[in-house]
């Protein structure tokens, strides 16, 4: 880890505007958030509240209209595409809702993708730990099409972990899974935080999913409006009701 | 429905443009060929109009089956013609194509380009298109005077009063340039060198007696040309005929047309290859597009469109692209015509820069080609589209039609390939009429067959070709390799387009190399002579141009030579078929040329009126030695010739007579080939050195040793190969566009995936590299198929021609390797655009989930 700050990632008064003039949409409208190292943070909010946009901007996939996003103490707006790409490759991991895997590569090749893109070899110990945790040793040679949805997402999570990134971003990672497969995936992510000290930021709209996190940030109309520590499904539901009302 | 079709076209501009480009290129070659030849035809028509403007009747030798003739006839005919009632003016003239002008440094003007034509100057302006240019001196009026066309004078840097060397019947002579002429209002007759003398001088220089080769007649005002022709015919001796000027003009126009059709058929064949390759590309594009639009099409089905409607929609889209492509292709055809003209002019032809001619036929054929091409290419994809089930709108995997089993594919592909090979074999080995059609159709069907089989080879071959890539380029290389294996059919189909062009190039290379391999043996066997002389001119594409008879006479004076022997060539008509005929000197021929006579056939030739016949030809005609064969000559008419023997070396001609017999039946203007041997004890080089004054004086004669002949033939083969390869370049360019097209579409399909790769840290350079190597694998795959097929085809043709002296099948390894390398390079080029596009793809598109 090359940074000394307390936060793995930070968003400061982020504004993201799509379109111009009359039709402009302020997907982010002055959102501010910090993500502490070793924490599992969930971002919640109604559909269209800007959750995905926030994630994209802070993960270096998209740029802010104004405000700043930091990974560690690196201001993302100061980076050119190439450096941004290298930063993603080395310091960030991703799990998306779907289409996480390259169909022509086997599960193992997919897991190792961030490393092979950088021409690196995996740390054998670490790789072994991940495989044990993710529990896919016997499926490694299979192509994504031959895996179930839950297995595919766990492969994606393993891939996000393999390069030991400072932070992992996940956008509705269990959104396409049934509840059992979703629970397995979330349990795996949680273990990554508890056992390996991984930092994870996850977007979700589901209280049960959010309850796996240490802390929840609530988003509304592009602004962070509330937060909550050590949530349970019920407490989340309550909070949502009060916010919505 | 149709609106939906057109809208979807404009929604995907790049796909639209790339598909259209394949059509544009194919159509433009077709249109360009027509436009160019029609333009030349129109130019010739204008020229002929000029020439025949004042000529009502033309009197000439009656050449029977030979058509229009320039054979000489007695000059006294002019008197009889002039005496005919209704003749206003009549003038006789002589003409020769066995004439050569040397430039200031003693080199022949014209060379292998446009011919040199000799005429007598006509005193009656209305009967001759030649004019003196302003300030161009005077017409030739007596011995030692010559007139040249302005174009030749300019190019050679002559000025009035210069001494110009002209080689005629009597050998090189100096003439004073007294006049500079134009042809009608053109400085040149399409680049030909025009040489004019006063009539008597022309007869002497061309080797004529008191003869004419034609008389032009103008009728008095109220006499009709047909009527006058009839009246003149009545006074003509046998062997001389009168035709109207119009008839002769039409004959000439038909001749020119025929000559040009040779060119246009050649160009159209290559255009056909391009169109064929285009069909592969277009079909492939439509197929991919249909696959990509599965959801959209399924949605249409779900809301009530019938399968038929979907099919019509896809076909309408195709036809629209075909329409736009064809129109653009015709427009681009003009550019193509200009390019062909530029190439011709660079080759020494003076094709005037007149307005290009677009005939309705060109429009119709080009539109038919363009629309037909797209229509045919869209049928299968349209059918596939119509079979997409409505549920595919909801479930992605529902659209996967069960893959046709590998077995079915293997059987179908083998059957089609087999049919192609069969047709090919029929064309090559069985003696059928129009064999070339069988060969072309066979090759085309074999190409299709192989392209059906190719998907079976795609995966294993991609593994082989791509084997080093993961090692060299890590993940980019691995993905490049895997991507080509993902849709074997798409990879194979894209590669097949390149295969066609490469196969033909490889075929010509193999054919060329095999020809070269046997050429040396053939030449050394056929020409025992130390030195062979031939003219550098090319007046008649089928026969060697004549060397002035004075040349062989001059050679005889050298002590360094032991034998000098000349050969002449001409045409005869036997049983209605035109044949070539060679003439030899029976006393010397065996020392210089290996006729391989059976028995004493050659010495039997010494009897006048006898001929010897190649044994195969004798058999084919059902003749026997001792038969009398009625043979028609343009000059002497029908002659009874006796077959006195047979020979085996039928490379040049199936019939030989003695030079003496030749002179009795032809207007002898010179020798086609002259051979000489160095005297014993004098080396070939020394003899060549000794005779150089004579060889130099006859600027258009080149002296060659056996190995120089071989070298020259090899160079000619290389040139022909280069020309063919150049013409096939179009097909290859279209195929490369096809790779670009496929990759562009695949990238579009893989938006998410590429975005994902970028998201997890692949830099743009790595993305570009991945696409580039994917293209290289496809291109190399196509090239390997092409080279393989080309070699097989080459082998078959060489085998078929074995009897013609093609013993040695030879593979030009260097060229094959070069072709593979260039194909890989072409892949790199094809990938430039899609690779850039992929690298610039928006990462967010990858992860948006709709
Ligand atoms: N590319 C885009 N162009 C225009 N508007 C967009 C774009 N992406 C998102 N939006 C808008 O921005 C807002 C926030 O979107 P998003 O971040 O995807 O919300 P969430 O993930 O919370 O559902 C929404 O109103 C959405 O319509
Ligand atoms: Mg979202």
């Amino acid at each position: 880890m090359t940074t000394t700050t307390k936060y793995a990632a930070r968003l400061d008064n982020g504004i993201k505007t799509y379109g111009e003039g009359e039709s402009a949409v302020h997907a982010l409208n002055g959102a501010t958030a910090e993500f502490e190292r070793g924490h599992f943070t969930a971002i919640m909010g109604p559909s269209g509240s800007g959750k995905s946009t926030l994630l994209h901007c802070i993960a270096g996939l998209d740029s802010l209209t104004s405000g700043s996003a930091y990974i560690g103490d690196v201001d993302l707006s100061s980076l050119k595409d190439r450096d941004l790409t290298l930063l993603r490759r080395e310091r960030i991991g991703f799990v998306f809702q779907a289409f996480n895997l390259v169909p022509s590569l086997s599960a193992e090749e997919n897991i190792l993708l961030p490393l092979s893109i950088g021409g690196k070899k995996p740390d054998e110990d670490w790789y072994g730990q991940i495989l044990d945790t993710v529990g896919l040793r016997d499926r490694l040679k299979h192509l994504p099409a031959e895996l179930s949805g839950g297995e595919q997402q766990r492969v994606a999570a393993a891939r996000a972990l393999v390069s030991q990134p400072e932070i992992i971003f996940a956008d509705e990672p269990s959104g396409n899974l049934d509840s059992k497969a979703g629970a397995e995936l979330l349990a795996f992510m949680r273990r990554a935080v508890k056992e390996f000290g991984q930092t994870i930021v996850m977007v979700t709209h589901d209280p049960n999913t959010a309850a796996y996190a240490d802390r929840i940030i609530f988003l509304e109309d592009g602004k962070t409006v509330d937060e909550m520590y050590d949530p349970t499904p019920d407490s989340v539901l309550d909070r949502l009701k009060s916010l919505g009302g | 429905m149709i609106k939906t079709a057109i809208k979807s076209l404009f929604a995907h501009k790049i796909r639209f443009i790339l598909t259209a480009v394949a059509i544009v290129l194919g159509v433009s070659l077709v249109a360009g060929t027509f436009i160019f030849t029609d333009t030349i035809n129109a130019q010739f028509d204008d020229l002929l109009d000029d020439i025949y403007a004042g000529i009502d009747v033309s009197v000439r030798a009656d050449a029977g089956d030979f058509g229009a003739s320039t054979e000489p006839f007695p000059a006294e005919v002019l008197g009889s013609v002039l005496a005919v009632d209704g003749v206003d003016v009549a003038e006789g003239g002589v003409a020769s194509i066995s004439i050569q002008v040397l430039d200031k440094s003693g080199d022949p003007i014209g060379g292998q380009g446009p011919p040199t034509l000799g005429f007598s100057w006509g005193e009656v302006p209305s009967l001759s298109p030649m004019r003196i240019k302003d300030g161009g001196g005077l017409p030739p009026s007596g011995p030692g005077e010559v007139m040249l066309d302005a174009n030749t004078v300019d190019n050679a840097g002559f000025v009035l009063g210069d001494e110009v060397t002209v080689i005629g019947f009597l050998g090189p002579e100096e003439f004073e340039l007294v006049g500079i002429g134009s042809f009608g209002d053109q400085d040149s007759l399409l680049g030909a060198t025009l040489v004019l003398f006063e009539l008597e001088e022309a007869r002497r220089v061309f080797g004529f007696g008191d003869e004419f080769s034609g008389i032009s007649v103008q009728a008095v005002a109220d006499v009709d040309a047909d009527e006058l022709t009839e009246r003149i015919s009545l006074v003509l001796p046998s062997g001389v005929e009168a035709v109207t000027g119009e008839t002769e003009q039409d004959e000439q126009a038909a001749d020119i047309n025929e000559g040009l059709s040779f060119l246009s058929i050649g160009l159209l064949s290559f255009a056909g290859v391009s169109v064929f390759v285009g069909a592969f590309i277009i079909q492939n594009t439509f197929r991919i597009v249909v696959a990509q639009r599965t959801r959209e099409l399924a949605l249409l089905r779900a809301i009530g469109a019938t399968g038929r409607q979907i099919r019509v929609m896809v076909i309408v889209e195709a036809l629209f692209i075909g329409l736009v492509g064809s129109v653009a292709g015709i427009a681009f055809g003009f550019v193509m015509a200009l390019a062909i003209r530029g190439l011709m002019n660079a080759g020494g032809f003076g094709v005037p820069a007149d307005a290009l001619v677009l005939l309705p036929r060109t429009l119709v054929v080009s539109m038919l080609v363009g629309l037909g091409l797209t229509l045919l290419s869209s049928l299968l994809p349209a059918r596939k589209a119509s079979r997409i089930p409505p549920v595919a709108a909801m479930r992605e995997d529902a659209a996967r039609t069960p893959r046709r089993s590998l077995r079915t594919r293997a059987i179908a592909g083998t059957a089609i390939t087999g049919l192609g090979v069969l047709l090919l074999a029929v064309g090559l080995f069985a003696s059928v009429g129009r064999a070339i059609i069988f060969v072309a159709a066979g090759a085309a069907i074999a190409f299709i067959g192989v392209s059906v089989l190719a998907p079976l080879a795609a995966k294993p071959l991609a593994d082989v070709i791509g084997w080093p890539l993961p090692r060299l380029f890590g993940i980019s290389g691995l993905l490049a390799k895997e991507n080509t294996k993902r849709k074997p059919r798409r990879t194979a189909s894209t590669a097949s387009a390149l295969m066609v062009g490469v196969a033909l190039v490889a075929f010509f290379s193999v054919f060329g190399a095999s020809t070269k391999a046997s050429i040396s043996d053939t030449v050394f066997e056929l020409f025992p002579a130390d030195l062979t002389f031939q003219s550098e001119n090319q007046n008649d594409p089928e026969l060697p141009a004549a060397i002035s008879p004075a040349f062989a006479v001059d050679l005889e004076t050298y002590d360094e030579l032991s034998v000098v022997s000349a050969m002449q060539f001409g045409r005869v008509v036997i049983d209605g078929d035109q044949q070539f005929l060679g003439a030899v000197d029976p006393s010397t021929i065996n020392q210089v040329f290996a006729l391989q006579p059976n028995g004493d056939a050659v010495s039997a030739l010494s009897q006048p009126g006898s001929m010897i016949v190649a044994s195969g030809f004798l058999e084919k005609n059902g003749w026997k030695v001792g038969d009398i064969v009625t043979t028609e000559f343009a000059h002497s008419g029908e002659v009874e010739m006796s077959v006195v023997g047979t020979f085996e070396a039928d490379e040049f001609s199936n019939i030989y007579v003695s030079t003496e017999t030749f002179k009795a039946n032809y207007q002898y203007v010179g020798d086609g080939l002259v051979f000489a041997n160095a005297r014993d004890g004098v080396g070939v080089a020394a003899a060549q050195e000794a005779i150089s004054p004579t060889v130099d004086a006859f600027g258009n004669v080149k002296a060659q040793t056996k190995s120089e002949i071989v070298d020259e033939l090899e160079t000619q083969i290389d040139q022909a190969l280069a020309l063919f390869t150049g013409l096939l370049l179009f097909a290859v360019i279209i195929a490369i566009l096809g790779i670009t097209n496929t990759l562009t579409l695949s990238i579009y399909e893989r938006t998410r995936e590429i975005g994902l790769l970028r998201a997890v840290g692949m830099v743009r350079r790595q993305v570009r590299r991945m696409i580039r190597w994917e293209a290289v694998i496809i291109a190399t795959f196509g090239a390997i198929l092409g080279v393989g097929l080309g070699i097989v085809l080459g082998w078959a043709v060489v085998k078929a021609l074995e009897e013609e002296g093609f013993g040695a099948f030879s593979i030009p390894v260097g060229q094959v390797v070069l072709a593979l390398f260039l194909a890989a390079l072409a892949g790199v080029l094809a990938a430039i655009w899609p690779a850039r596009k992929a690298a610039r793809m928006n990462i967010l598109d990858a992860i948006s989930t709709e």
Side-chain angles (χ1 to χ4, degrees):
Chain A
M1 309 277 152
T2 51
T3 49
T4 52
T5 49
K6 176 176 167 198
Y7 301 119
R10 200 150 57 80
L11 180 67
D12 188 11
N13 197 21
I15 294 180
K16 175 72 183 179
T17 311
Y18 291 111
E20 274 168 36
E22 294 276 304
S23 61
V25 177
H26 301 287
L28 288 183
N29 203 358
T32 299
E34 293 87 27
F35 302 101
E36 249 176 85
R37 294 187 189 286
H39 283 234
F40 189 172
T41 310
I43 300 175
M44 288 200 78
S47 178
S49 58
K51 304 184 295 291
S52 297
T53 307
L54 186 148
L55 196 80
H56 295 158
C57 290
I58 205 167
L61 293 170
D62 203 353
S63 58
L64 286 167
T65 309
S66 73
S68 351
Y70 299 87
I71 293 291
D73 51 8
V74 179
D75 182 353
L76 298 187
S77 65
S78 69
L79 296 181
K80 289 209 171 61
D81 176 77
R82 189 189 159 81
D83 292 325
L84 202 55
T85 306
L86 292 178
L87 174 120
R88 281 200 307 271
R89 186 198 288 174
E90 282 155 18
R91 297 172 62 178
I92 302 177
F94 291 100
V95 183
F96 305 114
Q97 180 170 354
F99 305 109
N100 259 303
L101 306 180
V102 177
S104 54
L105 298 181
S106 69
E108 176 164 38
E109 284 165 338
N110 265 295
I111 294 175
L112 295 175
L113 196 56
L115 294 177
S116 26
I117 287 176
K120 296 197 183 115
K121 291 253 171 295
D123 176 320
E124 286 302 331
D125 278 355
W126 176 237
Y127 183 47
Q129 275 185 58
I130 292 175
L131 289 185
D132 289 338
T133 322
V134 83
L136 281 170
R137 276 196 186 274
D138 53 336
R139 317 290 278 168
L140 287 178
K141 297 294 170 214
H142 291 248
L143 291 176
E146 297 158 355
L147 300 176
S148 73
E151 286 170 334
Q152 288 186 25
Q153 289 301 80
R154 279 185 297 166
V155 169
R159 183 198 60 208
L161 280 169
V162 79
S163 54
Q164 294 177 281
E166 283 174 54
I167 185 164
I168 291 175
F169 293 103
D171 193 352
E172 313 260 13
S174 58
N176 277 1
L177 304 180
D178 59 55
S179 54
K180 182 170 169 284
E184 274 174 20
L185 175 72
L186 291 163
F188 168 61
M189 289 169 65
R190 189 163 177 79
R191 270 169 66 197
V193 174
K194 292 284 158 273
E195 291 172 22
F196 312 138
Q198 184 66 56
T199 312
I200 296 182
V201 177
M202 170 180 75
V203 163
T204 180
H205 63 270
D206 172 34
N208 291 312
T209 305
Y212 281 86
D214 303 318
R215 168 191 176 221
I216 300 180
I217 294 180
F218 292 94
L219 210 61
E220 218 175 76
D221 295 333
K223 285 202 244 320
T224 39
V225 292
D226 201 355
E227 61 178 338
M228 166 181 205
Y229 286 88
D230 302 319
T232 66
D234 290 339
S235 65
V236 177
L237 258 181
D238 287 347
R239 183 73 60 98
L240 279 180
K241 275 186 197 133
S242 69
L243 278 173
Chain B
M1 234 28 209
I2 290 185
K3 238 171 102 185
T4 322
I6 307 298
K7 268 195 177 156
S8 114
L9 279 179
F10 287 109
H12 302 280
K13 288 197 204 69
I14 293 309
R15 177 215 292 168
F16 179 95
I17 290 169
L18 287 172
T19 313
V21 165
I23 302 167
V24 171
L25 287 180
V27 169
S28 70
L29 266 184
V30 174
T33 303
F34 280 131
I35 292 172
F36 174 72
T37 47
D38 290 343
T39 304
I40 294 208
N41 250 328
Q43 284 164 348
F44 272 112
D45 282 348
D46 283 355
L47 261 168
L48 289 173
D49 279 346
D50 268 6
I51 297 174
Y52 285 97
I55 301 178
D56 292 314
V57 183
S58 177
V59 176
R60 64 196 193 186
D62 178 0
D65 288 334
F66 290 90
S69 149
T70 53
E71 293 296 331
F73 53 86
E76 68 221 28
V77 172
L78 179 60
S80 327
V81 170
L82 279 170
V84 171
D85 189 26
V87 171
D88 184 5
V89 274
E91 184 174 37
V94 292
S96 170
I97 54 168
S98 300
I99 195 91
Q100 176 68 57
V101 183
L102 301 187
D103 66 15
K104 284 177 166 172
S105 48
D107 292 325
I109 293 175
Q112 307 233 326
T116 301
L117 307 172
F119 299 104
S120 56
W121 166 256
E123 301 288 346
V124 184
S126 63
L127 293 178
S128 156
M130 282 309 286
R131 305 274 172 271
I132 290 286
K133 268 195 85 145
D134 279 347
L138 295 167
S141 60
E145 295 185 357
V146 72
M147 169 175 166
L148 296 172
D149 63 282
N151 184 50
T152 302
V153 169
D154 283 352
N155 289 345
F158 290 136
V159 292
L160 284 177
D162 274 358
E163 292 289 309
V164 176
T165 307
V166 180
I167 302 167
F169 189 72
L170 304 171
E173 289 181 89
E174 300 276 303
F175 295 87
E176 185 191 346
L177 179 64
V178 297
I180 299 173
S182 62
F183 197 88
D185 48 12
Q186 300 274 1
D187 273 358
S188 128
L189 175 61
L190 297 165
T193 307
L194 306 177
V195 196
L196 291 99
F197 302 95
E198 177 275 324
L199 176 62
E200 276 312 319
E201 182 71 341
R203 284 176 171 154
R204 186 184 68 80
V205 175
F206 300 163
F208 283 60
D210 190 15
E211 294 163 319
F212 287 123
S213 42
I215 297 174
S216 304
V217 182
Q218 194 167 24
V220 293
D222 55 350
V223 175
D224 163 81
D226 290 323
E227 168 62 26
L228 188 60
T229 306
E230 249 168 67
R231 285 189 214 164
I232 292 174
S233 297
L234 294 176
V235 305
L236 295 178
S238 79
V240 184
E241 65 174 4
V243 294
T244 62
E246 208 180 315
T247 308
E248 197 168 85
Q249 182 175 352
D250 290 348
E251 285 171 0
Q252 303 236 347
D255 271 2
I256 290 164
N257 221 319
E258 197 185 310
L260 280 175
S261 75
F262 191 70
L263 178 70
S264 62
I265 289 174
L267 288 173
L268 285 175
S269 318
F270 286 98
V273 173
S274 296
V275 169
F276 184 66
V277 171
F280 272 87
I281 301 298
I282 296 167
Q283 209 234 13
N284 199 30
T285 307
F286 286 141
R287 188 191 298 283
I288 299 175
V289 167
V290 164
Q292 289 181 352
R293 287 169 58 197
T294 298
R295 281 209 164 168
E296 172 194 337
L297 295 173
L299 188 69
L300 288 174
R301 294 279 281 118
I303 61 173
T306 63
R308 214 183 103 91
Q309 280 174 308
I310 300 283
R311 182 158 54 217
V312 169
M313 189 180 96
V314 173
I315 291 177
V316 165
E317 264 194 53
L319 285 179
F320 186 77
I321 301 181
L323 185 73
V324 174
S326 305
V327 171
I330 292 170
F332 198 51
F334 283 95
V335 178
M336 209 53 88
L338 289 176
I340 302 174
R341 180 150 85 190
L343 283 177
M344 299 279 285
N345 285 347
F349 288 86
V351 186
D354 287 2
L356 295 171
V357 175
L358 180 69
L359 295 185
R361 185 262 280 108
T362 309
L363 285 176
V364 172
V365 173
S366 304
M367 292 307 286
L368 282 180
V369 166
L371 290 176
L373 168 69
T374 32
L375 179 67
L376 283 178
S377 313
S378 69
L379 288 181
L380 280 179
R383 200 177 70 138
K384 194 178 154 194
S386 70
R387 293 189 173 173
I388 294 173
V391 305
M394 270 71 77
R395 283 196 5 245
E396 193 142 19
D397 50 354
R400 270 186 217 151
T401 42
R403 284 266 161 85
R404 217 184 308 163
S405 81
L406 294 183
R407 235 175 84 96
T408 319
R409 178 174 284 283
I411 291 170
T414 311
I416 298 173
T417 312
L419 176 68
V421 171
L422 188 74
L423 285 178
L424 206 63
V426 168
L428 290 175
F429 297 95
S431 37
V432 286
R434 298 186 174 267
I436 186 72
I437 293 184
F438 281 88
V439 173
I445 294 176
F447 282 138
I448 294 174
V450 173
S451 77
V452 171
L453 289 173
L456 302 175
K459 283 191 187 185
L461 258 179
D463 270 331
V464 173
I465 300 167
W467 174 78
L469 294 182
R471 267 145 272 260
L472 291 173
F473 304 109
I475 191 75
S476 303
L478 176 68
L479 280 169
K481 178 161 79 84
E482 293 306 319
N483 284 339
T484 57
K485 287 161 61 183
R486 227 143 100 174
K487 298 242 161 78
R489 174 141 189 203
R490 182 183 295 182
T491 299
S493 173
T494 310
S496 296
L498 185 59
M499 164 189 84
V500 175
V502 173
L504 291 173
V505 170
F507 165 75
F508 285 125
S509 306
V510 167
F511 191 68
S514 302
T515 312
K516 278 197 206 166
S518 31
I519 233 167
S520 167
D521 287 351
T522 311
V523 166
F524 275 76
E525 211 170 279
L526 204 58
F527 298 100
D530 291 333
L531 290 169
T532 303
F533 306 89
Q534 49 181 318
S535 170
E536 297 207 35
N537 297 61
Q538 185 79 61
N539 298 324
D540 181 330
E542 295 170 325
L543 296 178
I547 299 173
S548 168
F551 179 73
V553 174
D554 263 18
L555 282 191
E556 301 269 12
T557 61
Y558 289 97
D559 279 343
E560 287 84 353
L561 301 179
S562 60
V563 195
V564 175
S565 185
M567 226 187 214
Q568 299 80 28
F569 295 94
R571 293 184 174 84
V572 288
V573 174
I574 298 175
D575 285 342
D577 289 332
Q578 235 183 62
Q579 310 285 349
F580 296 111
L581 169 147
V584 299
D585 174 359
S587 60
T588 52
I589 190 66
N590 286 338
Q591 297 169 60
V592 293
F593 184 70
L595 261 183
Q596 303 169 44
N598 294 314
D600 55 357
V602 167
S603 45
L605 265 188
S606 316
Q607 318 158 28
S610 63
M611 65 186 197
I612 58 174
V613 175
S615 53
F617 191 68
L618 183 95
E619 207 172 296
K620 209 177 106 197
N621 281 288
W623 298 337
K624 301 182 304 293
V625 174
D627 278 1
I628 302 293
V629 175
T630 307
T631 309
E632 191 185 340
F633 296 90
H635 190 61
S636 57
E638 291 194 351
V639 175
E640 303 288 321
M641 303 279 291
S642 59
V643 179
V644 297
T646 59
F647 64 93
E648 301 302 328
D650 56 4
E651 276 82 358
F652 284 177
S653 167
N654 279 316
I655 304 169
Y656 282 93
V657 298
S658 68
T659 297
E660 204 178 324
T661 305
F662 185 91
K663 285 179 178 169
N665 294 294
Y666 287 89
Q667 165 73 15
Y668 171 61
V669 292
D671 303 320
L673 287 172
V674 176
F675 303 102
N677 282 347
R679 192 173 292 288
D680 283 346
V682 182
V684 176
Q688 207 169 356
E689 177 65 36
I691 61 172
S692 62
T694 294
V695 175
D696 290 345
F698 287 77
N700 59 335
V701 175
K702 62 183 170 196
Q704 292 173 303
T705 61
K706 282 171 269 204
S707 35
E708 281 165 347
I709 295 178
V710 172
D711 286 349
E712 180 174 279
L713 291 173
E714 287 184 346
T715 313
Q716 284 172 2
I717 292 169
D718 288 340
Q719 283 168 349
L721 274 181
L723 178 68
F724 289 157
T725 309
L727 287 168
L728 286 169
L729 208 59
F730 251 84
V732 172
I733 290 174
I734 293 179
I736 291 171
L737 280 175
I739 298 178
T740 306
N741 211 353
T742 301
L743 285 176
T744 309
L745 293 170
S746 302
I747 283 163
Y748 170 75
E749 215 170 70
R750 301 204 304 250
T751 301
R752 282 180 206 296
E753 186 181 325
I754 291 167
L756 171 71
L757 289 168
R758 295 275 290 127
V760 301
M762 196 176 241
V763 292
R764 292 196 163 134
R765 197 162 47 85
Q766 286 172 306
V767 174
R768 280 198 297 269
R769 186 184 281 161
M770 172 178 81
I771 307 290
R772 186 181 317 131
W773 285 106
E774 191 174 337
V776 168
I777 292 177
I778 297 177
T780 312
F781 178 39
I784 288 176
L785 289 181
V787 163
L789 205 56
I791 290 176
V792 171
L793 284 179
W795 174 83
V797 171
V798 169
K799 277 284 158 217
L801 294 178
E802 208 159 31
E803 320 176 346
E804 319 269 321
F806 277 84
F809 168 67
S810 155
I811 297 176
V813 179
Q815 284 173 35
V816 165
V817 173
L818 186 68
L820 290 177
F821 174 74
L822 289 179
L825 198 66
V828 174
L829 290 179
I832 291 177
W833 198 75
R836 275 169 64 117
K837 201 170 146 71
R840 293 203 175 157
M841 217 165 244
N842 185 356
I843 305 175
L844 286 178
D845 288 348
I847 44 194
S848 56
T849 44
E850 50 274 68

